[in-house]
Amino acid sequence: MADPNGFLRYQRAEQAKRPKDERVQDWREVYAEQSTEERDQEVRTQASRCMDCGIPFCHSGSAGCPLGNLIPEWNDLVRRGDWAEASERLHATNNFPEFTGKLCPAPCEAGCVLSISPASGGPVAIKRVEETIAARAWELDYVRPEQSEVPTGQRVAVVGSGPAGLAAAQQLTRAGHEVTVFERDDRLGGLLRYGIPEFKMEKKVLDRRLAQLRREGTTFVTACEVGVDVTVEELRERFDAVVLAVGALRGRDDTTTDGRELSGIHLAMEHLVPANKQCEGDGPPDIDAAGKHVVIIGGGDTGADSYGTAIRQGALSVTQLDQYPQPPSTRDDERSPWPTWPYLLRTYPVHEERGERRFAVAVKRFVGDEDGAVRAIELRTVRVEKDSETGRREVVATSEEVEEIPADLVLFAIGFEGVEHMRLLDDLGLSLTPRGTVSCGPDWQTAAPGVFVCGDAHRGASLVVWAIAEGRSVAHAVDHYLTGASDLPSPVHPTALPLAVV
């Protein structure tokens, strides 16, 4: 750390975005392009704000990054302009920093010591530094295939090609195992491919990394549903170990609200997947927001993704509903003290474009037209109450007044209920937990011998950093299972949880 007062000398600065009127006309990423020199200088300045804390909470597994990213180390290397060593330090703990640099909500920044007080000027722009290191590494050809010199002769099947599956596959391939990744979709990437809109991460970023995995020796099979196209018996016969990284894609629905049966009401993923396929060149989607009043129910990431997608499809209006009150703009130390993840109003770039967000409201009923299609929504103001004994939440109306707003397309983005029901799990003899996930022991092994689980399938819908961390950890467990020992890193335990206030 060259300057202990760096955070006092320099203000936190975010990357500039493209003009709103320009970016809503295409699917490219929202951030403005910069020259290499300008970008690198800005990011080196941001990295110099890092204090190299004696106890760096930013890479604490419970309060910051579960990957254990060596953030103060690569911040200082960036400050000095040593991009090669910064890339080495970053890739030592993270297989896919270009994914996390674009998609992670950055618990590391919430855990940064500079987050303690607004007087500091805000946390270090860790996410921006990380993304730039990754970009520089690709530009300077630092990212190269890492191939094992000594094959083990052991074969591993990874089911699912999302971030957890890809991380496990890359680690196991580099350990010398023969790894085959099975993906039921027509293209690789899981939610990275079909759940994340192009304006958040252009898929050329994903394709570039997949090419590296192929060169390292990982084999990929697409359009193949394990349990159907490949039976469990065949899987057991061909492979010495199996990793389940099937995600938690069973979307939560609300079938109790009057009018839910009307056409034009869908789960958000039914909108996002075909929109992403259109960006891949597959033709127009079946569910299109063009010329429609769109209402999105749910205030999280998936809702924001549908929000931006609807705008780019040409929606007449976009309204996002949240049953909770509007969060504060600054951290409430009593509710979420540092270094826990703060309860804050999070404004995504898409919210700056157009449309509106409504808080403390809920749908009373969906109103249909004579053809059985939704045409409007009736809203009431509400509050969410929590039963102190059972912990169950109940939505209670605060007024009898009802407001009607137009709605031609309604999208539920109210979370996920867990792993989809699939023949693969039935044939393996695995049942889901009450949370809809697949349980495992301390070695990541399920009740089926030689079958391991990681990512959202084990944890439930979570952050990309947790998916990669679990993928790396399960690779260590599989390597140990097959060979009796492993030098692969294992950043998290199956029972690990982020720090939270109960």
Side-chain angles (χ1 to χ4, degrees):
M1 179 178 62
D3 184 0
N5 297 314
F7 73 98
L8 297 173
R9 296 178 57 214
Y10 305 111
Q11 293 295 311
R12 176 184 167 97
E14 304 288 353
Q15 184 177 352
K17 304 180 189 74
R18 294 194 288 144
K20 291 182 287 186
D21 292 342
E22 173 190 315
R23 68 184 193 241
V24 298
Q25 302 299 322
D26 60 46
W27 293 92
R28 291 167 45 220
E29 290 186 16
V30 301
Y31 293 100
E33 293 184 7
Q34 294 178 286
S35 68
T36 302
E37 295 75 14
E38 179 185 17
R39 179 200 62 191
D40 291 358
Q41 186 54 54
E42 282 188 10
V43 171
R44 289 179 63 182
T45 298
Q46 290 302 302
S48 71
R49 298 184 70 245
C50 178
M51 298 192 300
D52 191 18
C53 304
I55 301 178
F57 286 83
C58 57
H59 64 72
S60 159
S62 59
C65 181
L67 283 164
N69 282 335
L70 305 171
I71 295 167
E73 293 186 29
W74 42 256
N75 273 336
D76 190 57
L77 291 164
V78 168
R79 178 192 63 80
R80 292 189 272 136
D82 190 344
W83 298 102
E85 190 64 22
S87 173
E88 189 280 328
R89 289 285 78 197
L90 179 54
H91 280 92
T93 56
N94 188 351
N95 296 71
F96 316 122
E98 65 272 35
F99 301 167
T100 54
K102 293 179 182 295
L103 304 177
C104 182
C108 54
E109 294 188 10
C112 176
V113 170
L114 295 181
S115 287
I116 294 177
S117 169
S120 70
V124 175
I126 299 169
K127 181 175 172 178
R128 186 179 180 191
V129 176
E130 177 182 32
E131 182 181 3
T132 305
I133 296 172
R136 206 75 182 103
W138 285 103
E139 292 164 1
L140 298 173
D141 199 27
Y142 296 148
V143 182
R144 298 192 176 181
E146 298 180 22
Q147 297 172 327
S148 173
E149 295 181 358
V150 182
T152 65
Q154 305 279 359
R155 294 180 294 180
V156 181
V158 176
V159 185
S161 65
L166 292 178
Q170 185 166 63
Q171 294 293 96
L172 289 166
T173 297
R174 290 175 175 179
H177 304 297
E178 185 181 331
V179 180
T180 301
V181 177
F182 293 92
E183 171 56 59
R184 69 180 180 181
D185 284 330
D186 57 342
R187 296 182 179 92
L188 298 168
L191 282 183
L192 293 173
R193 173 77 64 184
Y194 287 142
I196 301 298
E198 190 84 352
F199 58 81
K200 284 180 67 175
M201 186 181 79
E202 295 179 12
K203 300 309 177 286
K204 63 184 181 183
V205 174
L206 171 60
D207 292 334
R208 180 178 59 188
R209 185 62 79 170
L210 288 169
Q212 181 204 26
L213 268 70
R214 285 191 175 96
R215 290 196 297 269
E216 290 177 345
T218 301
T219 299
F220 293 97
V221 180
T222 57
C224 179
E225 183 171 357
V226 179
V228 178
D229 302 306
V230 175
T231 66
V232 165
E233 290 75 16
E234 292 171 326
L235 201 69
R236 290 289 201 183
E237 183 179 343
R238 291 172 53 189
F239 298 97
D240 302 294
V242 177
V243 175
L244 302 179
V246 295
L249 298 175
R250 182 153 45 93
R252 182 172 291 118
D253 201 348
D254 175 13
T255 59
T256 62
T257 301
D258 187 27
R260 173 61 181 89
E261 75 284 353
L262 295 169
S263 64
I265 304 175
H266 306 273
L267 300 184
M269 292 305 297
E270 296 172 358
H271 174 236
L272 287 173
V273 170
N276 277 300
K277 287 193 172 187
Q278 182 182 27
C279 292
E280 297 276 2
D282 288 357
D286 294 332
I287 302 172
D288 196 332
K292 296 177 181 177
H293 297 287
V294 179
V295 176
I296 299 163
I297 302 173
D301 284 8
T302 303
D305 292 345
S306 288
Y307 192 111
T309 298
I311 289 174
R312 282 155 181 78
Q313 288 180 332
L316 288 178
S317 68
V318 183
T319 305
Q320 188 172 13
L321 309 179
D322 194 328
Q323 64 188 8
Y324 292 96
Q326 181 170 324
S329 56
T330 58
R331 184 195 290 266
D332 181 345
D333 287 332
E334 292 188 4
R335 180 166 187 166
S336 51
W338 178 88
T340 62
W341 181 247
Y343 176 66
L344 294 171
L345 176 63
R346 305 186 189 280
T347 299
Y348 298 84
V350 296
H351 292 132
E352 303 167 353
E353 294 167 355
R354 59 185 178 88
E356 70 169 325
R357 287 188 283 179
R358 303 278 301 273
F359 295 91
V361 294
V363 179
K364 179 185 179 184
R365 75 180 183 104
F366 301 104
V367 182
D369 62 18
E370 60 276 9
D371 297 320
V374 66
R375 67 166 181 83
I377 286 179
E378 290 184 354
L379 294 178
R380 290 190 299 188
T381 58
V382 298
R383 68 173 179 270
V384 180
E385 296 180 347
K386 184 177 180 181
D387 189 299
S388 58
E389 294 184 2
T390 66
R392 293 178 64 88
R393 287 178 168 83
E394 183 180 3
V395 180
V396 180
T398 59
S399 171
E400 292 300 319
E401 183 178 350
V402 175
E403 176 188 2
E404 184 174 290
I405 63 172
D408 307 307
L409 175 61
V410 177
L411 302 171
F412 277 104
I414 54 177
F416 297 88
E417 293 187 333
V419 178
E420 293 176 309
H421 299 292
M422 56 185 69
R423 182 174 174 180
L424 169 62
L425 299 182
D426 294 337
D427 289 354
L428 285 170
L430 298 176
S431 58
L432 299 179
T433 69
R435 295 179 53 247
T437 58
V438 178
S439 62
C440 67
D443 62 351
W444 300 92
Q445 193 168 186
T446 69
V451 178
F452 299 76
V453 66
C454 65
D456 287 0
H458 161 256
R459 176 168 294 275
S462 187
L463 308 182
V464 63
V465 281
W466 279 98
I468 297 172
E470 292 210 357
R472 289 170 66 87
S473 298
V474 86
H476 170 95
V478 172
D479 189 35
H480 190 280
Y481 170 80
L482 294 175
T483 66
S486 180
D487 293 328
L488 294 177
S490 181
V492 293
H493 187 272
T495 60
L497 294 172
L499 186 66
V501 176
V502 179

